[in-house]
Coordinates of all heavy atoms in Angstrom, one line a residue:
P1 N 84.5 93.0 120.2 CA 85.0 94.1 121.2 C 85.0 93.6 122.6 O 85.8 94.0 123.4 CB 84.1 95.3 120.9 CG 83.6 95.1 119.5 CD 83.4 93.6 119.3
L2 N 83.9 92.9 123.0 CA 83.8 92.4 124.4 C 84.9 91.5 124.8 O 85.6 91.7 125.8 CB 82.5 91.7 124.5 CG 81.9 91.7 125.9 CD1 81.6 93.1 126.4 CD2 80.6 90.8 126.0
T3 N 85.2 90.5 123.9 CA 86.3 89.6 124.2 C 87.7 90.3 124.1 O 88.5 90.1 125.0 CB 86.4 88.5 123.2 OG1 85.0 87.8 123.3 CG2 87.4 87.4 123.4
A4 N 87.8 91.2 123.1 CA 89.1 91.9 123.0 C 89.3 92.8 124.2 O 90.5 92.9 124.7 CB 89.0 92.8 121.7
K5 N 88.3 93.4 124.7 CA 88.5 94.3 125.9 C 88.9 93.5 127.1 O 89.9 93.9 127.9 CB 87.2 95.0 126.3 CG 87.3 95.9 127.5 CD 86.0 96.6 127.7 CE 86.1 97.6 128.9 NZ 84.8 98.2 129.2
A6 N 88.4 92.3 127.3 CA 88.8 91.5 128.5 C 90.2 91.0 128.3 O 91.0 91.1 129.3 CB 87.8 90.3 128.6
I7 N 90.6 90.5 127.1 CA 92.0 90.0 127.0 C 93.0 91.1 127.1 O 94.0 90.9 127.7 CB 92.0 89.2 125.6 CG1 91.2 88.0 125.7 CG2 93.5 88.9 125.3 CD1 91.2 87.2 124.4
S8 N 92.6 92.3 126.5 CA 93.6 93.4 126.6 C 93.8 93.8 128.0 O 94.9 94.2 128.4 CB 93.1 94.6 125.7 OG 91.9 95.1 126.3
A9 N 92.8 93.8 128.9 CA 92.9 94.2 130.2 C 93.8 93.2 131.0 O 94.6 93.5 131.8 CB 91.5 94.3 130.9
E10 N 93.5 91.8 130.7 CA 94.3 90.8 131.3 C 95.8 90.9 130.9 O 96.7 90.7 131.8 CB 93.7 89.5 131.0 CG 94.5 88.3 131.6 CD 93.9 86.9 131.3 OE1 92.8 86.9 130.6 OE2 94.5 85.9 131.8
A11 N 96.1 91.2 129.7 CA 97.4 91.3 129.2 C 98.1 92.5 129.6 O 99.4 92.6 129.6 CB 97.5 91.1 127.7
G12 N 97.4 93.6 129.9 CA 98.0 94.9 130.2 C 98.4 95.7 129.2 O 99.2 96.7 129.3
V13 N 97.8 95.6 128.0 CA 98.0 96.5 126.8 C 97.3 97.7 127.0 O 96.3 97.8 127.8 CB 97.7 95.8 125.5 CG1 98.6 94.6 125.2 CG2 96.2 95.5 125.4
D14 N 97.7 98.8 126.3 CA 97.1 100.1 126.5 C 95.8 100.3 125.8 O 94.9 101.1 126.1 CB 98.1 101.2 126.1 CG 99.3 101.2 126.9 OD1 99.2 101.1 128.2 OD2 100.5 101.2 126.4
D15 N 95.7 99.6 124.6 CA 94.5 99.8 123.7 C 94.3 98.6 122.9 O 95.2 97.7 122.8 CB 94.7 101.0 122.9 CG 93.4 101.6 122.4 OD1 92.3 100.9 122.6 OD2 93.3 102.7 121.8
F16 N 93.2 98.5 122.2 CA 92.9 97.3 121.3 C 92.2 97.8 120.1 O 91.5 98.7 120.1 CB 92.3 96.2 122.0 CG 90.8 96.5 122.5 CD1 89.7 96.3 121.6 CD2 90.7 97.0 123.8 CE1 88.4 96.7 122.1 CE2 89.3 97.4 124.2 CZ 88.2 97.2 123.3
L17 N 92.3 96.9 119.0 CA 91.5 97.2 117.8 C 90.8 95.8 117.6 O 91.5 94.8 117.2 CB 92.4 97.5 116.6 CG 91.6 97.7 115.3 CD1 90.7 98.8 115.3 CD2 92.7 97.9 114.1
A18 N 89.5 95.7 117.8 CA 88.7 94.5 117.6 C 88.2 94.4 116.2 O 88.0 95.4 115.4 CB 87.6 94.5 118.6
E19 N 87.9 93.2 115.8 CA 87.3 92.9 114.5 C 88.0 93.6 113.4 O 87.5 94.2 112.5 CB 85.8 93.2 114.4 CG 84.9 92.5 115.4 CD 83.5 93.0 115.5 OE1 83.2 94.1 115.0 OE2 82.6 92.2 116.0
A20 N 89.4 93.5 113.5 CA 90.3 94.2 112.7 C 90.4 93.5 111.2 O 90.5 92.4 111.1 CB 91.7 94.3 113.2
T21 N 90.3 94.4 110.3 CA 90.5 94.0 108.9 C 91.8 94.6 108.3 O 92.3 95.5 109.0 CB 89.4 94.5 108.0 OG1 89.4 96.0 108.0 CG2 88.0 94.1 108.5
P22 N 92.4 94.1 107.3 CA 93.6 94.7 106.7 C 93.5 96.2 106.6 O 94.5 97.0 106.8 CB 93.8 94.0 105.4 CG 93.1 92.6 105.6 CD 92.0 92.9 106.5
E23 N 92.3 96.6 106.1 CA 92.2 98.1 105.8 C 92.2 98.9 107.1 O 92.8 100.0 107.2 CB 90.8 98.4 105.1 CG 90.7 97.8 103.7 CD 90.6 96.3 103.6 OE1 90.2 95.7 104.6 OE2 90.7 95.7 102.5
E24 N 91.6 98.3 108.2 CA 91.6 98.9 109.5 C 93.0 99.0 110.1 O 93.3 100.0 110.8 CB 90.6 98.3 110.4 CG 89.1 98.5 110.0 CD 88.2 97.7 110.8 OE1 88.6 96.6 111.3 OE2 87.0 98.1 111.0
K25 N 93.8 98.0 109.9 CA 95.2 98.0 110.4 C 95.9 99.1 109.7 O 96.6 99.8 110.4 CB 95.8 96.6 110.1 CG 95.3 95.5 110.8 CD 96.1 94.2 110.5 CE 95.5 92.9 111.1 NZ 96.2 91.7 110.7
L26 N 95.8 99.2 108.4 CA 96.5 100.2 107.6 C 96.1 101.6 108.1 O 96.9 102.6 108.3 CB 96.3 100.0 106.2 CG 97.1 100.9 105.2 CD1 98.5 100.7 105.4 CD2 96.7 100.6 103.7
S27 N 94.8 101.8 108.3 CA 94.2 103.1 108.8 C 94.7 103.4 110.1 O 95.1 104.6 110.4 CB 92.7 103.0 108.7 OG 92.2 104.2 109.2
L28 N 94.9 102.5 111.0 CA 95.3 102.7 112.4 C 96.8 103.2 112.3 O 97.2 104.1 113.0 CB 95.2 101.5 113.2 CG 95.8 101.5 114.6 CD1 95.2 102.6 115.4 CD2 95.7 100.2 115.3
I29 N 97.6 102.5 111.5 CA 99.0 102.9 111.4 C 99.2 104.3 110.9 O 99.9 105.1 111.4 CB 99.8 101.9 110.5 CG1 99.8 100.5 111.2 CG2 101.2 102.4 110.2 CD1 100.4 99.4 110.3
R30 N 98.4 104.6 109.9 CA 98.5 106.0 109.3 C 98.0 107.1 110.3 O 98.6 108.2 110.4 CB 97.6 106.0 108.0 CG 98.3 105.3 106.9 CD 97.3 105.3 105.7 NE 97.9 104.7 104.5 CZ 97.3 104.3 103.4 NH1 96.0 104.4 103.4 NH2 98.0 103.8 102.4
R31 N 97.0 106.7 111.1 CA 96.6 107.7 112.1 C 97.7 107.9 113.2 O 97.9 109.1 113.6 CB 95.3 107.2 112.8 CG 94.0 107.3 111.9 CD 92.8 107.3 112.8 NE 92.7 106.1 113.6 CZ 92.2 104.9 113.3 NH1 91.7 104.7 112.0 NH2 92.2 103.9 114.1
E32 N 98.3 106.9 113.6 CA 99.4 107.0 114.5 C 100.5 107.8 114.0 O 101.1 108.6 114.6 CB 99.9 105.6 114.9 CG 98.9 104.8 115.8 CD 98.7 105.3 117.2 OE1 99.7 105.9 117.7 OE2 97.6 105.1 117.8
Q33 N 100.9 107.5 112.8 CA 102.0 108.3 112.1 C 101.6 109.7 111.9 O 102.5 110.6 112.1 CB 102.4 107.6 110.8 CG 103.0 106.2 111.0 CD 103.2 105.5 109.7 OE1 102.5 105.7 108.7 NE2 104.2 104.6 109.6
E34 N 100.4 110.0 111.6 CA 100.0 111.4 111.4 C 100.1 112.1 112.7 O 100.3 113.4 112.7 CB 98.6 111.5 110.9 CG 98.5 111.1 109.4 CD 97.1 111.0 108.9 OE1 96.2 111.1 109.7 OE2 96.9 110.6 107.7
G35 N 100.0 111.4 113.8 CA 100.1 112.1 115.1 C 101.5 112.1 115.6 O 101.8 112.5 116.7
G36 N 102.5 111.9 114.7 CA 103.9 112.0 115.1 C 104.5 110.8 115.7 O 105.6 110.8 116.2
N37 N 103.8 109.6 115.7 CA 104.4 108.4 116.3 C 105.1 107.5 115.3 O 104.7 107.5 114.1 CB 103.2 107.6 116.9 CG 102.6 108.4 118.1 OD1 103.3 108.9 119.0 ND2 101.3 108.3 118.1
L38 N 106.1 106.8 115.8 CA 106.7 105.7 114.9 C 106.1 104.4 115.3 O 106.0 104.1 116.5 CB 108.2 105.7 115.1 CG 109.0 106.5 114.1 CD1 108.8 108.0 114.3 CD2 110.5 106.2 114.3
V39 N 105.7 103.6 114.3 CA 104.9 102.4 114.6 C 105.6 101.2 114.2 O 106.3 101.1 113.1 CB 103.5 102.5 113.8 CG1 102.7 101.2 114.0 CG2 102.8 103.8 114.1
A40 N 105.6 100.2 115.0 CA 106.1 98.8 114.7 C 105.0 97.7 114.8 O 104.1 97.9 115.6 CB 107.2 98.5 115.8
M41 N 105.0 96.8 113.9 CA 104.1 95.8 113.9 C 104.7 94.5 113.3 O 105.7 94.5 112.6 CB 102.8 96.1 113.1 CG 102.9 96.1 111.6 SD 101.3 96.0 110.8 CE 100.8 94.3 111.2
T42 N 103.9 93.3 113.5 CA 104.4 92.1 112.9 C 103.3 91.6 112.0 O 102.1 92.0 112.1 CB 104.7 91.0 114.1 OG1 103.4 90.8 114.8 CG2 105.7 91.4 115.0
G43 N 103.7 90.7 111.2 CA 102.7 90.1 110.2 C 103.2 88.9 109.5 O 104.5 88.8 109.4
D44 N 102.4 88.1 109.0 CA 102.9 86.9 108.2 C 102.1 86.7 106.9 O 102.6 85.8 106.1 CB 103.0 85.6 109.0 CG 101.6 85.3 109.6 OD1 100.6 86.0 109.3 OD2 101.5 84.3 110.3

């Protein structure tokens, strides 16, 4: 979280998810969608 916070501040993003696992990514997307948001992401 410490490193993530510094890089997110330098890049100018609004928020960050540190030490992310696949389950946490999925959970974050679902929370955003439940709040009425449309979510876009990349992956490989």
Side-chain angles (χ1 to χ4, degrees):
L2 205 60
T3 302
K5 181 179 180 180
I7 294 179
S8 66
E10 183 180 354
V13 297
D14 299 311
D15 202 353
F16 65 88
L17 176 65
E19 299 176 343
T21 64
E23 293 78 14
E24 288 173 335
K25 292 180 185 179
L26 187 60
S27 178
L28 174 61
I29 293 174
R30 286 173 175 168
R31 287 198 305 271
E32 292 288 335
Q33 291 171 333
E34 288 170 0
N37 295 314
L38 265 67
V39 181
M41 75 160 289
T42 61
D44 58 3

